[in-house]
Amino acid sequence: MAGALPHLHGRQTFLSFSKSHSSRLSSPASFRPVTVAMGQSQSYWASIDAKIEDHLKKSIPIRPPVEVFEPMQYLSLAPPRTAASALCVAACELVGGYRDDAVAAASAVHLMHAAAFGHEHLPLTDRARPKPAVHHQYNPNIELLTGDGILPFGLELLAKSVDPARDNSDRVLRVIVEITRAVGSQGTVDGQYREFLCTQSDGDELCNAGWVEYACEKKEGGLHACGAILGGGNEEEIERLRKYGLYVGTIQGMLHGVGRNKEGMKEAAEKLRALALKELDIFSSRKTEPIASLVQATLVNA
Amino acid sequence: MAGALPHLHGRQTFLSFSKSHSSRLSSPASFRPVTVAMGQSQSYWASIDAKIEDHLKKSIPIRPPVEVFEPMQYLSLAPPRTAASALCVAACELVGGYRDDAVAAASAVHLMHAAAFGHEHLPLTDRARPKPAVHHQYNPNIELLTGDGILPFGLELLAKSVDPARDNSDRVLRVIVEITRAVGSQGTVDGQYREFLCTQSDGDELCNAGWVEYACEKKEGGLHACGAILGGGNEEEIERLRKYGLYVGTIQGMLHGVGRNKEGMKEAAEKLRALALKELDIFSSRKTEPIASLVQATLVNA
């Protein structure tokens, strides 16, 4: 990724997969940057990103039938990246796991997000006020079906990462439960529905800070927790990092997602930030530096 | 299910979940009956159906937030049933497994179908010739999102069926790979895309018998294979029953799905039927009677 993102320096945006892909997204409003502090953390995240990107590109080659796999690769890589997939790898490493233990899950997490992103931007007949337009490379039918293909593919990728040599089948199954729950009707879909209600409502009464926080937690939070399981963390570590991930996702959503341009979000996020960092206090502070930067830099640049 | 389907007698239609649900589907064109022979096989399928229905109803209770779970239950149960979920249980039993070993997977298989069914019938702006209309209980946005919730929920249900007492985690993982592949871009989505091209084309040139067979196999076939894995079948049994399932799905699609009302389908299906039955010849014919009835009755009533 270092090569793919030579323009990253100082306090910069932690971009989605590559310049070439992210630039295809025509609207800045659709682009949700995950900002990181400069220095060490940045190269840490960049190296994780490179690993995930590499895994995804190898996993979704363009092959026959090209009319199916070309949009699949494009729509998998094009959506802006959230912190969720990178945090999956970082949490795994924090609890002592190897990077390779989490790359398939991190790729799956990104694919869940990509599928949801695509469906959110579909032009449906009852979407009176569509989300900020993104460039549609394909027609709606293809984008719908491709999203339908991306989601199960991500889970297939994860299920296939079981390796007898690592004896990881129970962990992978647990992560499948985590992820499917996080993207389903108790997670992302619930959040999307509430965001939809918000965007269709006339006043701001419905979309108060509490509502936005709930929607963000549902929509973004759940996907930020899986790495600690794969890295072999104990139950307390898993629970702490799950909660930390929930906060990260919620904060991201409040500042750059559902809550963007809404009043009071920065203050609300500041409170969550303190709670988030508290979850990390059982780990050595040296080790948590990169992970903690996710909520710190977010607020600096919000 | 015996109670739910008191109108079933003689050579009848093997209905979707219950009379009350299936009758909500307003268009007969959207209803794809799976016919079974009278007698023993019928009660066999009915008992499997009852088991799956029960599992689904318990797994998707209507609970808060009701605006999420009410459509989720409705849209999970309303779509017409295909043979895939029942065959999952029957194949498990054929290789010596217990019915309970396959019920979660069979429910997941039905949920994959329900999610795909919902998305197929969404009114998208570029669907110039929509599929035969079905009654839409909810607006498109809700039906889209609910489908997005149903698919991962089905996989969560399956992943959670792992039971240390049964030591079935490797089998469940293998089935997750089977199912996610079957519904993804190499399976259902590919088939849906080809069906879509067919419905949008003016002439019948594109939609010849070979094309329809391919589309049906992709769209319906893959989901018909998973029970043998869960039942502990050996590799040959698994492979035979996978192929048998592919034929069953393809035949169903040719007669009642993509290929319905097209010429030459009955003849093409007849050929596949012979191939399908050949796959069963390693099993005792007494035991395969119910399973074989899936392709026999289909043709009798086509």
Side-chain angles (χ1 to χ4, degrees), chain A residues 63 65 67-69 72 115-116 119-120 122-127 139-142 144-146 148-153 155-160 162 168-170 172-173 176-177 179-186 189-190 192-194 196-197 214, chain B residues 63 65 67-69 72 115-116 119-120 122-127 139-142 144-146 148-153 155-160 162 168-170 172-173 176-177 179-186 189-190 192-194 196-197 214:
Chain A
R63 61 187 188 279
E67 60 270 38
V68 168
F69 286 103
M72 188 160 165
H119 282 186
E120 260 181 57
L122 282 177
L124 285 168
T125 51
D126 68 332
R127 287 184 169 170
N139 67 35
N141 187 62
I142 299 299
L144 168 69
L145 289 182
T146 305
D148 284 347
I150 288 173
L151 195 145
F153 175 71
L155 295 165
E156 180 190 343
L157 208 59
L158 179 54
K160 279 163 60 185
V162 165
N168 63 349
S169 61
D170 288 343
V172 169
L173 273 161
I176 290 174
V177 173
I179 290 183
T180 49
R181 190 176 293 163
V183 298
S185 298
Q186 294 176 283
V189 172
D190 189 11
Q192 285 175 315
Y193 173 66
R194 284 167 201 268
F196 170 76
L197 290 182
Y214 179 88
Chain B
R63 61 186 188 278
E67 60 270 40
V68 168
F69 286 104
M72 190 161 164
H119 282 186
E120 260 181 56
L122 283 176
L124 285 169
T125 50
D126 68 332
R127 286 184 168 171
N139 66 36
N141 187 61
I142 300 298
L144 169 69
L145 289 182
T146 305
D148 283 348
I150 288 173
L151 194 145
F153 175 71
L155 295 165
E156 180 189 343
L157 207 60
L158 178 54
K160 279 163 60 185
V162 165
N168 62 349
S169 61
D170 287 344
V172 169
L173 273 162
I176 289 175
V177 173
I179 290 183
T180 49
R181 190 174 294 162
V183 297
S185 298
Q186 294 175 285
V189 171
D190 188 11
Q192 283 176 316
Y193 173 66
R194 284 167 200 268
F196 170 75
L197 290 182
Y214 179 89

Side-chain angles (χ1 to χ4, degrees), chain B residues 56-242:
Chain B
L56 281 169
K57 281 189 173 163
K58 281 184 186 150
S59 306
I60 319 173
I62 296 177
R63 61 186 188 278
V66 172
E67 60 270 40
V68 168
F69 286 104
E70 203 278 328
M72 190 161 164
Q73 190 191 75
Y74 180 88
L75 294 169
S76 293
L77 297 178
R81 182 85 69 90
T82 69
S85 49
L87 183 56
C88 178
V89 175
C92 172
E93 293 188 325
L94 179 63
V95 299
Y98 294 106
R99 187 164 291 195
D100 283 346
D101 292 334
V103 169
S107 301
V109 163
H110 175 73
L111 291 172
M112 301 300 109
H113 163 67
F117 183 85
H119 282 186
E120 260 181 56
H121 291 85
L122 283 176
L124 285 169
T125 50
D126 68 332
R127 286 184 168 171
R129 298 180 191 181
K131 301 196 72 159
V134 294
H135 167 67
H136 288 282
Q137 181 83 357
Y138 305 98
N139 66 36
N141 187 61
I142 300 298
E143 296 200 352
L144 169 69
L145 289 182
T146 305
D148 283 348
I150 288 173
L151 194 145
F153 175 71
L155 295 165
E156 180 189 343
L157 207 60
L158 178 54
K160 279 163 60 185
S161 72
V162 165
D163 179 358
R166 288 182 192 167
D167 190 23
N168 62 349
S169 61
D170 287 344
R171 289 178 189 173
V172 169
L173 273 162
R174 188 170 169 185
V175 170
I176 289 175
V177 173
E178 286 273 340
I179 290 183
T180 49
R181 190 174 294 162
V183 297
S185 298
Q186 294 175 285
T188 305
V189 171
D190 188 11
Q192 283 176 316
Y193 173 66
R194 284 167 200 268
E195 181 182 17
F196 170 75
L197 290 182
C198 224
T199 57
Q200 307 292 309
S201 74
D202 279 328
D204 255 351
E205 280 175 44
L206 186 67
C207 314
N208 59 32
W211 173 279
V212 170
E213 183 179 332
Y214 179 89
C216 293
E217 183 185 318
K218 287 292 174 183
K219 190 176 167 197
E220 320 244 355
L223 273 176
H224 287 68
C226 67
I229 296 169
L230 293 164
N234 62 38
E235 291 304 319
E236 186 182 3
E237 289 171 331
I238 291 170
E239 195 47 36
R240 291 292 194 113
L241 286 165
R242 177 186 288 115

Side-chain angles (χ1 to χ4, degrees), chain A residues 29-298:
Chain A
S30 75
F31 180 76
R32 193 178 325 143
V34 179
T35 49
V36 294
M38 55 192 299
Q40 272 199 314
S41 294
Q42 187 187 322
S43 62
Y44 178 73
W45 293 120
S47 71
I48 290 179
D49 229 26
K51 188 93 181 170
I52 298 171
E53 180 181 11
D54 185 55
H55 192 74
L56 281 169
K57 281 189 173 165
K58 280 183 187 152
S59 305
I60 317 173
I62 297 177
R63 61 187 188 279
V66 172
E67 60 270 38
V68 168
F69 286 103
E70 204 278 330
M72 188 160 165
Q73 191 193 74
Y74 179 89
L75 294 169
S76 294
L77 298 178
R81 182 86 68 90
T82 69
S85 49
L87 183 56
C88 177
V89 175
C92 172
E93 292 189 324
L94 179 63
V95 300
Y98 294 105
R99 188 165 289 194
D100 283 345
D101 292 334
V103 169
S107 302
V109 163
H110 175 73
L111 292 172
M112 301 300 110
H113 163 66
F117 182 86
H119 282 186
E120 260 181 57
H121 291 85
L122 282 177
L124 285 168
T125 51
D126 68 332
R127 287 184 169 170
R129 299 178 190 184
K131 302 196 72 162
V134 293
H135 166 67
H136 287 282
Q137 182 81 356
Y138 304 97
N139 67 35
N141 187 62
I142 299 299
E143 296 201 350
L144 168 69
L145 289 182
T146 305
D148 284 347
I150 288 173
L151 195 145
F153 175 71
L155 295 165
E156 180 190 343
L157 208 59
L158 179 54
K160 279 163 60 185
S161 72
V162 165
D163 178 359
R166 290 183 190 164
D167 190 25
N168 63 349
S169 61
D170 288 343
R171 291 179 188 172
V172 169
L173 273 161
R174 189 168 167 187
V175 170
I176 290 174
V177 173
E178 285 273 340
I179 290 183
T180 49
R181 190 176 293 163
V183 298
S185 298
Q186 294 176 283
T188 305
V189 172
D190 189 11
Q192 285 175 315
Y193 173 66
R194 284 167 201 268
E195 182 183 17
F196 170 76
L197 290 182
C198 225
T199 57
Q200 308 292 310
S201 74
D202 278 328
D204 255 349
E205 280 175 46
L206 186 66
C207 313
N208 59 31
W211 172 278
V212 171
E213 183 179 331
Y214 179 88
C216 293
E217 183 184 319
K218 287 293 174 184
K219 191 177 167 195
E220 319 244 356
L223 272 178
H224 288 68
C226 67
I229 296 168
L230 292 164
N234 63 38
E235 289 306 318
E236 186 181 4
E237 290 171 331
I238 291 170
E239 194 48 35
R240 290 291 194 113
L241 286 165
R242 177 186 285 116
K243 282 186 187 158
Y244 181 75
L246 267 178
Y247 287 123
V248 171
T250 308
I251 291 170
Q252 294 288 344
M254 289 168 90
L255 298 178
H256 308 292
V258 183
R260 68 177 175 276
N261 307 327
K262 296 219 186 306
E263 276 184 33
M265 285 298 113
K266 214 166 164 180
E267 295 71 22
E270 189 64 43
K271 280 183 199 158
L272 296 186
R273 176 187 169 234
L275 295 170
L277 292 173
K278 209 167 147 43
E279 297 294 341
L280 299 181
D281 65 12
I282 61 164
F283 303 98
S284 125
S285 63
R286 190 182 55 75
K287 281 191 181 170
T288 57
E289 196 183 304
I291 284 186
S293 74
L294 282 180
V295 294
Q296 286 157 342
T298 296

